[in-house]
Amino acid sequence: MAIDILTIDARGLKCPLPVLKLEKLLAGAPNGTSIVVLASDPMARIDIPLHCRQNGHACDLTTAADYMQFTVTAGVARQD
């Protein structure tokens, strides 16, 4: 069975819209679902990982020239 990776393109959207879009998608996502969020607002670097920590989701960040890519895994908090 193929695993779907959901993508939210929030580039150009200002805080708090990227995290609100992520929150809405996570609300109906089963544990283990991967969601990629593309964001260009500098506040997303703080808001998205904070939301994930507070709600038990894993979050990895990679950066490109003009945006950030967050890979969020629903309900799978990383134990660092």
Side-chain angles (χ1 to χ4, degrees):
M1 179 168 73
I3 297 174
D4 290 330
I5 297 178
L6 307 171
T7 302
I8 299 170
D9 188 349
R11 292 176 288 188
L13 299 179
K14 297 293 181 192
C15 175
L17 291 176
V19 77
L20 290 175
K21 287 182 172 285
L22 173 62
E23 184 176 30
K24 183 176 180 180
L25 199 52
L26 282 168
N31 286 350
T33 300
S34 291
I35 301 170
V36 171
V37 182
L38 307 176
S40 54
D41 182 7
M43 286 304 298
R45 184 181 298 271
I46 297 167
D47 292 345
I48 291 175
L50 177 62
H51 176 78
C52 290
R53 276 193 308 277
Q54 290 176 336
N55 293 281
H57 309 299
C59 180
D60 292 304
L61 169 64
T62 57
T63 56
D66 57 350
Y67 67 93
M68 295 162 283
Q69 176 177 313
F70 300 89
T71 303
V72 177
T73 306
V76 183
R78 192 173 52 216
Q79 303 297 318
D80 288 302

